[in-house]
Amino acid sequence: MSSLPIDDSQAALYTVGQVAAMLSVQQAFLRRLDEHEVVSPRRSPGGQRRYSRHEITLVQYVVRLTDQGMTLSAIRRILELESELRAAHRRIAELEAELGRTREHGQASRRRSTR
């Protein structure tokens, strides 16, 4: 059985009006987020903005940050830094796994050579 687009958190399914109603925000606010490159939804073939569940969650986060008095340019920078931090954490995990494999390989080689 194939999965449906609704199962994919990245599927762009929701219109500006739907998202505005879901989150109790103005459609103009959502358009401003796109203009300031804070949350940039994909576009339908007709050019309308379409939001995924992931982007809706991101808009919720942005709303909380704006409620705390942050500007859109500051929020965009925060999102960029958080993305960089996630990438750094992934890279650290990769390097730790590689180091673990190297150590295991070295220990196995030492055990064979001492026999």
Side-chain angles (χ1 to χ4, degrees):
M1 177 181 245
S2 64
S3 65
L4 298 172
I6 198 163
D7 296 330
D8 180 1
S9 68
Q10 299 294 328
L13 301 173
Y14 304 93
T15 66
V16 170
Q18 290 170 322
V19 174
M22 276 187 247
L23 302 180
S24 299
V25 298
Q26 297 293 317
Q27 291 182 26
F29 175 72
L30 295 172
R31 288 190 291 274
R32 201 164 59 247
L33 293 182
D34 190 12
E35 291 163 5
H36 287 279
E37 299 177 351
V38 176
V39 179
S40 298
R42 280 165 276 168
R43 300 285 180 143
S44 70
Q48 295 179 331
R49 291 172 178 90
R50 293 282 190 252
Y51 292 82
S52 67
R53 287 192 337 253
H54 171 75
E55 290 160 338
I56 292 169
T57 301
L58 190 55
V59 171
Q60 287 177 303
Y61 180 49
V62 169
V63 168
R64 285 195 306 273
L65 294 175
T66 58
D67 287 347
Q68 294 174 12
M70 295 191 182
T71 66
L72 293 182
S73 59
I75 292 169
R76 184 179 61 238
R77 185 64 182 140
I78 288 168
L79 296 174
E80 290 168 354
L81 290 170
E82 288 175 343
S83 177
E84 290 174 18
L85 184 58
R86 282 190 301 275
H89 282 292
R90 281 191 301 273
R91 183 64 180 139
I92 289 168
E94 291 169 2
L95 291 170
E96 287 174 339
E98 185 178 318
L99 182 60
R101 287 189 298 273
T102 302
R103 286 181 178 161
E104 288 173 5
H105 178 69
Q107 290 171 353
S109 295
R110 282 192 295 278
R111 282 193 296 267
R112 283 192 298 268
S113 67
T114 58
R115 291 183 182 165

